[in-house]
Every structure is written in C-alpha cells, then in structure tokens.
Amino acid sequence: GGSAAPDMSGEMAEEFKSCYKDAWYRKYVLFLLFLIATLQTTDRNIPAILLPKIGPEFNMTDADAGMLNGAAFVFIYALATIPLARVADMCGRKYLIAVSLVVWSTLTSLSGLSQNATQLCFLRVGIGLGEAGCTPAAQSLIAVMYGPSERATAMAVQQLGLAVGTAAANLIGGLLIDSLGWRGVFGVMGIPGYLLAALIVLTLEDPPVEKSYLRPNNGGSGGGSGGSGG
C-alpha cells in the first residue's frame, strides 16, 4: 500500500506532455508572455509617473489622483479576471491575449486625448478590463507548456516582467515626459501592444481547449466502473 502512492505520482509526472514539442518554441512563447507582463505593468504604472503633469492641468483633487492612480483600474480588473479566466479555459488563449493587448493599448493611446480627469479615469477602467484577460490566459498557457518540475520556474520568468515593467514605466516616463509631454507619452505607450498582438496572432499556436480537464472526472468514475465491470 505504501509503495502505490510514489508509483502513481511518478506515472503522473511521466505522463505530462507539453502542448509544444519543440523546447525552443516553448522558450519563445515564454519570452512573449514575459514581454506581455512587462508591457502590462508599464502601462499600469505610467499614470503615476505622469501625474505631476496631469494633475495641475486638470485641477485634480487627491481623490481624483487616487482614482487615476489605481482605484479605477483595480476595481474592474478584479471583477473581470475570473470571468475572463473562464473564457481562456473554454475558448482558448491566443485571441484572448491578442484582443486584450489591442484593447488596453488602444485605450492607453486614447488617454492622451482626454480633456478632463473623468474621461481619463473612464479610460483607465477600460485598460483594467483589457489587462484582466492576459494574466489568467498566460498562466493557463504556462500550465499546458511546462510540467510540474518546470512550471514554477516558467511562471517566475513570466512574473519577472512585472518588476521589469515597473522599472520601465519610471524610466520611460522620466525620459519622455519633458520632450513629448504627458499626452505624447500615453500615445507612444500604445504602440508596443499592437506589435505584440501581431506577433501573438502570427506566431502563437493556440493549444486545444483543455477537454482533458473533463476526462479525469468523467473517466475517473467511468473508468472505475468499467474496470470493475471488465
């Protein structure tokens, strides 16, 4: 009885098959996910860098600044993440990631056209909705690319983009705001998302929707009865 559990765990580890057979392609996809995480965090944090310029122009209060700097984004991001994660599970990840990139990149660029704090906050809400689709889809993709022995490392690489994006927001915002103004910085920050979305559409092979999630549950009971019946 004691030896059965180790044998079963060994068999489960051996049975894992990546959705991508080519190890280099897996690294390429992981690099794409790293870039997406970097861009997510850069666009998420750029308003904090631009706020000293935006605030006086729009006569923003502290409450306005709080909404722009996080609350407007986080509220819709938290609400939309779980439903969009289900979309990734049921319908696939490729086009969810691509559409999410286009949505938040477009709204980031449009932020530069805002005429008041209310418009800017509404655009931040839309950006939160766009970004909410990427994280669960990326994690789901990593789960089918890498087995248990490599998955934590792959997720760490992807999550490293969060730290890089925070640094990039400070660097890019600081370098460009004097030459382009805050409106120009928003406009420029939307461009990389379109390039990444194009790469996703053209080069990412979307793994099949995980019907295997259903098989162990149905097959577990069915297999047990079938085994006893046979």
Side-chain angles (χ1 to χ4, degrees):
S3 60
D7 290 345
M8 289 176 63
S9 61
E11 289 174 6
M12 289 174 64
E14 291 175 4
E15 285 175 2
F16 178 83
K17 292 183 180 179
S18 174
C19 60
Y20 304 130
K21 294 180 181 179
D22 188 338
W24 285 106
Y25 186 74
R26 288 197 296 272
K27 292 177 181 177
Y28 167 72
V29 173
L30 183 59
F31 180 63
L32 284 181
L33 298 181
F34 163 80
L35 291 179
I36 291 168
T38 299
L39 186 58
Q40 269 186 283
T41 317
T42 303
D43 287 354
R44 187 181 308 172
N45 286 282
I46 204 73
I49 313 303
L50 305 180
L51 194 58
K53 299 286 186 180
I54 299 172
E57 182 173 334
F58 288 163
N59 297 315
M60 294 174 66
T61 65
D62 290 341
D64 293 333
M67 285 294 293
L68 176 63
N69 210 21
F73 175 95
V74 171
F75 179 71
I76 191 65
Y77 185 91
L79 285 179
T81 295
I82 293 178
L84 289 176
R86 292 300 299 149
V87 171
D89 285 338
M90 294 185 295
C91 304
R93 303 125 181 133
K94 174 178 179 175
Y95 290 105
L96 176 60
I97 293 174
V99 170
S100 297
L101 276 163
V102 170
V103 168
W104 97 60
S105 298
T106 300
L107 295 179
T108 296
S109 290
L110 289 176
S111 298
L113 301 177
S114 300
Q115 298 302 308
N116 53 57
T118 302
Q119 291 178 5
L120 195 52
C121 283
F122 272 117
L123 288 168
R124 295 302 297 171
V125 169
I127 292 168
L129 178 62
E131 291 197 16
C134 267
T135 300
Q139 292 175 348
S140 174
L141 192 53
I142 289 172
V144 295
M145 280 200 300
Y146 292 97
S149 62
E150 300 176 297
R151 195 171 294 148
T153 301
M155 286 187 172
V157 171
Q158 187 254 346
Q159 292 292 303
L160 181 62
L162 304 181
V164 174
T166 302
N170 286 273
L171 180 62
I172 294 171
L175 289 175
L176 296 183
I177 191 168
D178 288 334
S179 56
L180 298 180
W182 69 265
R183 295 180 184 276
V185 174
F186 273 130
V188 167
M189 288 309 302
I191 297 172
Y194 292 109
L195 300 178
L196 268 177
L199 277 177
I200 292 293
V201 171
L202 295 175
T203 66
L204 179 64
E205 298 176 14
D206 201 5
V209 174
E210 289 301 303
K211 295 178 182 178
S212 58
Y213 287 145
L214 301 177
R215 287 174 187 166
N217 295 332
N218 297 338
S221 57
S225 60
S228 59

